[in-house]
Amino acid sequence: MHFLQVLVVVAAAAKLVSANPLPQSQFSTFTVPNATTTSTQEPATATSTTVPIPDSNNPCAKITKLYLNATEFYPKVPSDLAWQCLNDVPLDAPAATIWLQSLRPYIEWQSTTAYLKDPPQGYLEPAVDVWAEFDNIVSGISAGRYANEYEFEFALYRLFQGTHDGHFRYMPTLANGIFSFGRPVSLISYSADGYEAPKPYVYEDVLSNFVNGTAKPSAVTQIDGKEAIQFLEEWSQYGSLQDPDALYNNLFYGLAQASLGASGSGPGTFAGGGRGAYIYPGPTTSLTFENGSTHTHDNFARVQVPFRYINNGSDLYLNYVNSPLPSSTASNRLADAIQFSAPATATSPTVYPRPGYPPPVVNSKTFNNVAGYYLDEPGYEDVAVLAVASFVGTSDYQNVVYSFLDQAPKAGKTKLVIDTSANGGGTIMQGYNLFLNLFPGIVPYGATRFRSHEAFNLIGETVSERMFYYPFDYHDPPNWVWNDFAGGVPFNYRADVDVNYTNFDSWQDKNPPSTFMGDDFTSVIRWNLSDPLIYPANQVQPNGYGNRTGLPPTRPFEPENIVILYDGYCASTCAIFSELMTQQIGIKTVSIGGRPNGRHMQTVGGVKGTNNYPWYFISQLVTDTYTLAPDQASFFNTTALYDYIDPDTDWIPYHRAVGNSGQVNVRDGLREGDETQTPLQFIYEAADCRLYYTAEMTVDVTAMWEKVVDVTWNGDSCVVGGISGQGHAQSKRFDEDTSDAVKARAQAKAKRRLQKRRRQMTASRIAAIKQSLDIVTDSRNIQPIQGLMLP
Ligand SMILES: *[C@@H]1O[C@H](CO)[C@@H](O)[C@H](O)[C@H]1NC(C)=O
Ligand SMILES: *[C@@H]1O[C@H](CO)[C@@H](O)[C@H](O)[C@H]1NC(C)=O
Ligand SMILES: *[C@@H]1O[C@H](CO)[C@@H](O)[C@H](O)[C@H]1NC(C)=O
Ligand SMILES: *[C@@H]1O[C@H](CO)[C@@H](O)[C@H](O)[C@H]1NC(C)=O
Ligand SMILES: *[C@@H]1O[C@H](CO)[C@@H](O)[C@H](O)[C@H]1NC(C)=O
Ligand SMILES: *[C@@H]1O[C@H](CO)[C@@H](O)[C@H](O)[C@H]1NC(C)=O
Ligand SMILES: *[C@@H]1O[C@H](CO)[C@@H](O)[C@H](O)[C@H]1NC(C)=O
Ligand SMILES: *[C@@H]1O[C@H](CO)[C@@H](O)[C@H](O)[C@H]1NC(C)=O
Ligand SMILES: *[C@@H]1O[C@H](CO)[C@@H](O)[C@H](O)[C@H]1NC(C)=O
């Protein structure tokens, strides 16, 4: 198996194996809901004639009844009813205990557990002793600490989520796969003038104000009776990011997130987008405003599985949470689990709308993952913007990047804004490629390392011994299993290069192991970009290597004419790209939004680990190792490898969780010259300049891009920090200005920006934004990729 680096939107719901007596679900033909439409597809068309409609007061039975009569794609039911149904599932303690044991082997691969336990200064989230908390859940089962199955599964989900490592992820079915919660109101946060502390607002109020000139929105001061900012900061902690300002931004609707459709966090975690879907928000949400009024909204839960034949929590458990296996032979069990967890069939990809964005100069053909824009406002005509909302992509993606960076300078653009808003990463080589497209000829540093443990070492030893040459012919390998160890997988010592970009001599050289923080790790490993197996394994050949040598011959932009913009969501491959740009070139950075605290804000707020493995890929690596060395099977059966193939348990982690949810961060990113080898995940990095959103930026991204240009090259001030005058030649001319003059000019520009957007906000543009409020995050239908943080 290898990772096709494609984002596939697929038929939904096939993962949940229907047990007897459930008929095979019609859901297998459903496609992912469309961001352009509020779907009115009938989930249970005509089944009411054949499926009994329960008549009981059990909350699950009530949901079945609502479901059978629903017309929405994911029918909405009252949140408290869903909550009661979840809590109606009795704890299956024996099954829970075995299940937990089956997870241990995968957690071994997580590279950061020693650091999470005792994080270095600068890391802003709480310490987590993963193994101690895991054992605590195990003992909680026998101690009767969990009143029901949901309480236990939610604790398990929270153990992973609480590490704030978006690559360390596991979603038990009952906690994450049956319902997704939400609030019917999206918030945004903006500053009145770009410098005052931002306040939260109801987004629809802001939209109405723009299009209909209705009353100025009144800020939210309290949520459910609690001071609003405090409530929001606490709720934001249910997100997966590692930076509090990034988490805060992720609460709110974001145009860049919406442009990603079902793979983004849409309306924000407060409204139930992204990780917000997994937290019960209570039956209602009451918002109190500055003007003194209070509105109370009914919260909802979306039903994610075909709710038929469910008369109570026990039925739910049996049908969806721990259903009997569809296949009886042990050897097929894991295959079944994998098949049901990985997306099965691809449909043609959907082009999502992109409200709030101008028409692109160049756009990727399918998703809005990367696109190039020119600013048309007088005074900004020399600016090109590359909006990189994701790094997921293959040749089309690479072509967009190449052609935009090729044509922009020819069109007279001398400055480049790279907008990483909403970028959770993607194809690792696209991150390297964008860097190499901007700075051809500079060898990217990109140091990494793996945690060294028994299974990892056995796989590496075996692969290094049995795959005795490298590279090999990908189309005609001596054994097809070899293809799993091509281009970017560390187990053959002949692949990759060391810290000095020279080859390793042996597996021992690559995995001595080295000890840091009391844990074992490999040597520093870097990508060998000349490796011809990078292309077949990744579907991208970075510029300057292989058949892309000489592309492009020169830098399209000078370093001082480039700035990177962050909303904090940047993670994984985006973190890799950011590290190369800021550390190797010294590119300046601007972060926007965050908590209303007037302090510095970090750039990358998502996971900075540089590689995640889905659990089924790990399982595959183990079976490959058995295949490579059949003569060692009886020995392997006495080692840690056996835990991954034990027919009694190997299927359980997949069978009891949502789709592709099991992931671990296997690779740390390391900074050049850092002798302590502290993973970048734990290193604090403030942006050079911090900005706040203003109202017009929440309806039109070009307003934000203009402001970024102003603080980078035109002498405007930041909320904190600054760029102009710090070596950027163009800004020097403002040095003679009095600060009052600079301020007056900035205020005039801000006024113009706002007024222009007021004029431009037609009802149809607002309607497009309003439709995107209905986006449902659907991470179970995103193909896992080795440098992508799933929502
Ligand atoms: C999504 O919406 C567009 C525009 O309405 C439509 O053309 C397309 O067929 C829809 N796709 C799906 C999968 O519903
Ligand atoms: C079923 O839905 C229809 C239309 O939404 C509604 O009028 C009717 O009352 C519903 N029936 C039940 C039993 O909920
Ligand atoms: C603006 O007003 C029209 C007419 O009253 C209404 O239909 C529309 O929903 C309003 N738009 C917003 C964004 O509130
Ligand atoms: C107060 O502000 C809220 C939020 O903008 C708005 O919905 C409401 O209509 C306002 N109430 C009054 C009395 O102005
Ligand atoms: C749940 O409902 C099923 C019928 O669907 C019934 O057989 C079972 O006894 C019920 N369980 C409980 C705990 O009520
Ligand atoms: C890398 O090069 C430096 C400087 O020559 C040397 O000190 C170091 O030992 C080398 N590291 C490895 C792993 O070869
Ligand atoms: C990188 O890969 C190429 C192609 O396989 C190989 O010739 C070279 O020795 C490797 N190492 C370095 C340091 O380039
Ligand atoms: C490089 O090789 C790949 C794989 O053979 C091919 O798909 C691609 O078009 C080639 N690229 C160029 C620039 O020739
Ligand atoms: C290793 O364990 C597997 C699974 O229990 C078993 O099928 C296989 O026969 C064992 N191999 C040897 C050589 O003992």
Side-chain angles (χ1 to χ4, degrees):
M1 193 214 73
H2 56 89
F3 286 91
L4 274 187
Q5 314 289 293
V6 204
L7 181 75
V8 196
V9 174
V10 297
K15 172 257 158 190
L16 289 158
V17 184
S18 40
N20 305 329
L22 276 183
Q24 192 50 54
S25 161
Q26 301 154 331
F27 274 61
S28 56
T29 57
F30 275 7
T31 46
V32 168
N34 199 332
T36 57
T37 58
T38 311
S39 177
T40 52
Q41 236 162 335
E42 288 197 344
T45 338
T47 48
S48 47
T49 56
T50 53
V51 178
I53 298 174
D55 188 20
S56 105
N57 274 332
N58 182 284
C60 299
K62 285 183 177 168
I63 289 171
T64 301
K65 203 169 160 183
L66 290 170
Y67 181 88
L68 292 174
N69 191 41
T71 55
E72 286 176 298
F73 183 84
Y74 289 132
K76 283 182 188 172
V77 298
S79 59
D80 49 343
L81 199 55
W83 173 249
Q84 287 158 19
C85 174
L86 291 172
N87 282 282
D88 191 48
V89 180
L91 176 67
D92 184 347
T97 305
I98 297 168
W99 178 16
L100 286 169
Q101 297 315 320
S102 76
L103 305 180
R104 287 184 187 272
Y106 295 99
I107 299 175
E108 288 287 347
W109 290 74
Q110 177 64 26
S111 62
T112 56
T113 44
Y115 292 81
L116 277 166
K117 189 175 167 182
D118 183 15
Q121 217 192 344
Y123 179 70
L124 300 180
E125 289 297 320
V128 181
D129 187 339
V130 171
W131 285 112
E133 289 201 16
F134 186 86
D135 290 341
N136 198 24
I137 296 175
V138 173
S139 61
I141 299 281
S142 47
R145 202 182 308 132
Y146 302 109
N148 55 51
E149 180 75 16
Y150 179 77
E151 278 189 16
F152 149 62
E153 295 200 10
F154 186 70
L156 183 57
Y157 166 69
R158 285 278 279 158
L159 167 58
F160 285 84
Q161 179 270 323
T163 63
H164 291 280
D165 177 334
H167 284 165
F168 189 51
R169 187 173 175 278
Y170 190 59
M171 299 193 168
T173 303
L174 193 62
N176 305 73
I178 308 295
F179 302 112
S180 62
F181 291 108
R183 296 183 168 96
V185 54
S186 294
L187 302 182
I188 52 163
S189 167
Y190 67 81
S191 158
D193 63 354
Y195 297 95
E196 270 177 30
K199 293 175 179 175
Y201 297 88
V202 171
Y203 192 35
E204 297 225 0
D205 288 350
V206 178
L207 295 177
S208 299
N209 178 246
F210 264 95
V211 70
N212 283 349
T214 50
K216 261 187 101 167
S218 186
V220 180
T221 54
Q222 285 184 13
I223 301 173
D224 290 344
K226 192 176 223 172
E227 200 272 318
I229 308 294
Q230 192 193 342
F231 182 100
L232 290 169
E233 286 192 26
E234 286 170 16
W235 187 269
S236 77
Q237 289 295 318
Y238 291 120
S240 73
L241 311 172
Q242 44 78 18
D243 174 73
D245 292 306
L247 286 162
Y248 195 79
N249 275 347
N250 201 215
L251 288 161
F252 307 113
Y253 175 88
L255 292 168
Q257 290 286 359
S259 78
L260 294 174
S263 59
S265 50
T269 61
F270 177 77
R275 297 292 188 102
Y278 308 122
I279 311 299
Y280 174 52
T284 59
T285 300
S286 81
L287 302 176
T288 303
F289 299 96
E290 253 174 12
N291 66 12
S293 68
T294 296
H295 292 181
T296 300
H297 303 267
D298 288 332
N299 298 329
F300 60 86
R302 288 191 174 91
V303 183
Q304 309 249 55
V305 297
F307 234 76
R308 280 172 246 149
Y309 301 101
I310 310 291
N311 291 314
N312 51 46
S314 304
D315 282 350
L316 185 60
Y317 184 75
L318 194 66
N319 283 317
Y320 287 126
V321 182
N322 197 19
S323 56
L325 286 166
S327 120
S328 51
T329 59
S331 61
N332 284 336
R333 285 178 173 177
L334 181 61
D336 286 339
I338 290 170
Q339 189 192 327
F340 286 114
S341 53
T345 46
T347 60
S348 48
T350 308
V351 183
Y352 291 111
R354 203 172 204 189
Y357 281 76
V361 178
V362 191
N363 196 13
S364 48
K365 286 200 188 77
T366 52
F367 301 98
N368 294 318
N369 293 351
V370 63
Y373 301 88
Y374 298 152
L375 296 184
D376 58 8
E377 180 66 25
Y380 301 84
E381 297 103 328
D382 58 347
V383 180
V385 179
L386 187 68
V388 195
S390 167
F391 276 110
V392 173
T394 56
S395 57
D396 175 48
Y397 188 108
Q398 192 173 20
N399 292 341
V400 168
V401 168
Y402 182 81
S403 73
F404 184 68
L405 295 179
D406 181 49
Q407 64 185 260
K410 291 175 187 159
K413 311 298 165 186
T414 56
K415 301 189 179 89
L416 177 69
V417 175
I418 301 176
D419 183 355
T420 66
S421 297
N423 191 321
T427 313
I428 295 170
M429 278 300 115
Q430 295 290 5
Y432 279 83
N433 180 68
L434 177 54
F435 175 78
L436 286 162
N437 211 137
L438 290 164
F439 297 103
I442 294 185
V443 178
Y445 181 66
T448 70
R449 68 172 192 205
F450 287 74
R451 175 163 191 271
S452 176
H453 50 95
E454 188 186 348
F456 177 88
N457 190 47
L458 282 165
I459 297 170
E461 268 176 8
T462 309
V463 170
S464 291
E465 184 199 306
R466 302 295 166 109
M467 289 177 54
F468 36 87
Y469 61 94
Y470 191 97
F472 52 86
D473 179 355
Y474 193 85
H475 298 290
D476 189 21
N479 180 327
W480 288 104
V481 155
W482 283 35
N483 282 347
D484 282 354
F485 300 101
V489 178
F491 302 100
N492 192 329
Y493 78 83
R494 299 165 190 86
D496 307 311
V497 288
D498 71 7
V499 66
N500 294 330
Y501 213 88
T502 56
N503 295 335
F504 290 103
D505 298 334
S506 63
W507 177 249
Q508 213 67 47
D509 187 21
K510 199 171 192 178
N511 181 36
S514 313
T515 302
F516 292 91
M517 292 284 284
D519 207 354
D520 287 345
F521 299 94
T522 61
S523 302
V524 170
I525 295 174
R526 296 171 63 190
W527 286 75
N528 178 352
L529 294 165
S530 307
D531 182 347
L533 294 179
I534 282 180
Y535 180 82
N538 298 274
Q539 302 293 304
V540 189
Q541 179 74 59
N543 283 350
Y545 296 87
N547 64 0
R548 290 185 75 94
T549 45
L551 288 178
T554 53
R555 294 178 178 188
F557 295 91
E558 290 308 314
E560 65 271 20
N561 290 338
I562 302 175
V563 67
I564 309 180
L565 171 65
Y566 301 82
D567 69 354
Y569 199 81
C570 179
S572 199
T573 296
C574 183
I576 296 174
F577 171 71
S578 177
E579 177 75 3
L580 299 176
M581 292 289 282
T582 58
Q583 297 301 313
Q584 279 189 264
I585 312 294
I587 298 297
K588 297 293 182 188
T589 54
V590 175
S591 287
I592 189 161
R595 295 167 296 171
N597 61 11
R599 296 203 292 267
H600 278 286
M601 176 170 159
Q602 295 204 78
T603 51
V604 179
V607 59
K608 295 180 182 172
T610 59
N611 207 171
N612 51 302
Y613 282 177
W615 293 4
Y616 63 74
F617 182 61
I618 293 173
S619 169
Q620 184 82 34
L621 293 173
V622 173
T623 53
D624 287 348
T625 304
Y626 274 82
T627 306
L628 282 176
D631 53 309
Q632 296 294 303
S634 59
F635 163 65
F636 290 156
N637 278 1
T638 66
T639 70
L641 292 184
Y642 187 75
D643 296 339
Y644 303 86
I645 67 145
D646 182 343
D648 291 336
T649 53
D650 61 1
W651 48 277
I652 298 177
Y654 309 95
H655 188 62
R656 299 206 48 162
V658 175
N660 52 38
S661 70
Q663 312 257 325
V664 269
N665 185 72
V666 291
R667 244 192 240 248
D668 293 324
L670 305 173
R671 180 150 299 166
E672 189 164 6
D674 178 7
E675 300 286 325
T676 69
Q677 291 195 17
T678 304
L680 291 172
Q681 172 78 352
F682 299 93
I683 294 180
Y684 180 89
E685 284 170 90
D688 295 303
C689 163
R690 180 185 182 177
L691 293 178
Y692 288 143
Y693 291 103
T694 50
E696 68 276 13
M697 297 178 192
T698 71
V699 296
D700 181 355
V701 291
T702 63
M704 171 176 72
W705 295 339
E706 287 173 17
K707 181 68 184 177
V708 170
V709 170
D710 287 343
V711 294
T712 307
W713 296 292
N714 296 337
D716 272 20
S717 344
C718 304
V719 174
V720 189
I723 295 177
S724 299
Q726 294 183 353
H728 279 204
Q730 284 85 344
S731 64
K732 288 263 159 63
R733 62 178 189 243
F734 290 111
D735 286 357
E736 287 93 65
D737 285 338
T738 66
S739 60
D740 279 353
V742 173
K743 207 171 166 186
R745 186 164 32 228
Q747 278 166 351
K749 279 186 292 198
K751 197 169 167 193
R752 176 196 54 71
R753 273 201 293 271
L754 179 61
Q755 283 169 350
K756 178 179 168 186
R757 270 75 197 183
R758 283 201 188 290
R759 283 195 305 276
Q760 287 180 342
M761 274 307 129
T762 59
S764 68
R765 294 177 82 160
I766 296 290
I769 294 179
K770 272 188 145 181
Q771 271 190 338
S772 70
L773 293 173
D774 290 334
I775 290 172
V776 181
T777 304
D778 200 350
S779 63
R780 77 176 80 191
N781 290 308
I782 305 170
Q783 178 78 38
I785 289 178
Q786 296 201 1
L788 176 65
M789 175 181 74
L790 296 173

